[in-house]
Amino acid sequence: KPEHKSKSEGDGLGYDILSFDEAGKEIFIEVKTTTNNSDTAFFITRNELVRSQQDSEKFFLYRLYEFDDTDNKAKYYKRQGDLTELCTNPILFKAVVNE
């Protein structure tokens, strides 16, 4: 049975849903949703990127787009594996100030 881990354990795992493939092996699913088209940029956290690298055979990104909240419908595509090639423009950095 799939488990919504980001809801039960928080966002730190690097994926949203723990599920299983047809053979019963674990898979990690990250879901990114937009009401815009499939070309709309989205954010990937460091934890999501690291998880996709470490568990590339088990990691799946589901990109939902043209999401209609009224009907709860969307188009989607699925991508398996390492997300490194998608992460071309880092825009957030952690700053530490020691006073």
Side-chain angles (χ1 to χ4, degrees):
K1 180 179 176 184
E3 186 179 344
H4 196 166
K5 294 294 243 178
S6 63
K7 198 176 238 184
S8 65
E9 295 188 32
D11 287 329
L13 297 173
Y15 62 93
D16 294 324
I17 299 165
L18 171 62
S19 192
F20 301 88
D21 65 15
E22 297 81 17
K25 295 180 181 177
E26 281 186 335
I27 58 172
F28 306 121
I29 300 172
E30 177 60 31
V31 181
K32 300 293 183 180
T33 307
T34 184
T35 56
N36 296 318
N37 64 33
S38 64
D39 295 335
T40 302
F42 58 96
F43 296 98
I44 295 172
T45 68
R46 177 155 183 83
N47 286 344
E48 293 161 358
L49 177 59
V50 168
R51 176 65 72 171
S52 79
Q53 293 166 335
Q54 290 176 341
D55 293 304
S56 60
E57 290 186 21
K58 298 194 265 186
F59 187 90
F60 293 85
L61 169 69
Y62 278 74
R63 178 62 165 150
L64 281 61
Y65 61 96
E66 296 179 18
F67 178 70
D68 181 348
D69 194 30
T70 304
D71 295 330
N72 203 29
K73 292 182 180 179
K75 296 178 181 176
Y76 79 97
Y77 61 84
K78 175 172 80 169
R79 177 187 181 100
Q80 180 180 359
D82 187 344
L83 301 179
T84 301
E85 71 179 43
L86 299 179
C87 300
T88 60
N89 187 22
I91 61 166
L92 186 64
F93 299 88
K94 181 177 181 180
V96 178
V97 178
N98 294 319
E99 294 183 27

